[in-house]
Amino acid sequence: MFSPNIVMLCVVYGVLTGTGVSLMYATSTVIVLQYFDKRRGLAMSISSLGEGVGMLVLPPLTNLLIETYSWRGAFLVTAGITLNAAVFGLLFVPPPYLRKVSQNNIQTKSVMQSFKQLLKKKLFFVFALSSLLVHVGYTVPLINLIDLVDLKGIDRSQSAMLVPAMGIATIFSLVLFGWVSDLRKVNRTGLHAGTIAVMAATVFVVPSLDSIVAFFLFAAVYGVFMGAWHMGQAVIVTDIVGVELTGVAFGVHSLHAGVGMFLSSLLAGWLYDITGDYILPFYMSGVLYLLGCVVTVVVVVVRHLAAGKEVARNPPVEMHPLSQS
């Protein structure tokens, strides 16, 4: 709000606000993952509903705040809204089994010890690579969609509702896919790969769209599978590394995601400066989604083979009924 130039604004809003949001996101995610086991997917979905609500509410609210109070006043109001998250953060307490460990004075692992253990989980870093690739393309549909629609000659009053429509679709998909991912016969990582594939396919189609109805259809389909993809990330991290390493693992995973989103905006802007439109950035996004999907499929195959070897080493014991004399 009080930044005298763009450099200070980037430092204060980009670095400081980015750091705070990252800490808020990581802690709220990890606490849910630690509390739930059998219904972890559904729990993660419900806790992530705020993303869809934010996409629905914040774009029109931000525009209203800017029109009413200018961009400086809008920043001040947004800061006040964000500050409320600190109140909910005070309600976060470790789950009972972690509190019991603390009460019994059992020595817990340091962050460095946990990180050393994490380094042995090579499959986790393969999955983190997938997340990096997807996040490099992630911001293009969210940030540049309205600009692409403007270049198509469609009225801004209509296109302004595309991101809220995407948010509505995300809200419904989070609960649906969270419930589906907890079903016994569903492969969560395979489902995750499938959602990325659909996101890639829809993004590839965007440059060829030329009507507001078609763009709303894209927003609905993309929003559904984006919500499913977003929910799956944290749950799969825990599936791969276990609850004990979830905290440090999700932090490393979020680092990959953050780097990807940073590169995404730079690449999209650079491609726009070269071409004068957003067609190439959307194609770039689709290609990166496909690469992320391929890497995720590798994780699916490796986990399937590892599970098969485990069954071969420890075959299930057959239970025979006692004979009646």
Side-chain angles (χ1 to χ4, degrees), residues 28 70 76 103 115 122 138 164 177 226 246 273 297 300 313 324:
S28 61
S70 79
L76 184 61
Q103 291 170 358
F115 186 71
K122 296 181 176 59
Y138 176 62
F177 280 92
M226 181 183 68
T246 290
D273 289 340
V297 170
V300 175
R313 285 196 299 264
Q324 296 180 352

Side-chain angles (χ1 to χ4, degrees), residues 172-238:
F172 288 103
S173 72
L174 279 168
V175 178
L176 175 62
F177 280 92
W179 173 75
V180 170
S181 70
D182 287 331
L183 299 178
R184 291 186 60 184
K185 294 186 178 181
V186 172
N187 185 312
R188 280 176 178 159
T189 316
L191 179 65
H192 192 70
T195 61
I196 299 174
V198 175
M199 290 165 64
T202 55
V203 168
F204 274 128
V205 173
V206 170
S208 64
L209 304 180
D210 57 6
S211 70
I212 190 62
V213 174
F215 279 110
F216 270 107
L217 181 60
F218 158 76
V221 175
Y222 184 82
V224 166
F225 288 92
M226 181 183 68
W229 163 77
H230 185 272
M231 175 277 303
Q233 296 178 85
V235 178
I236 294 172
V237 167
T238 303

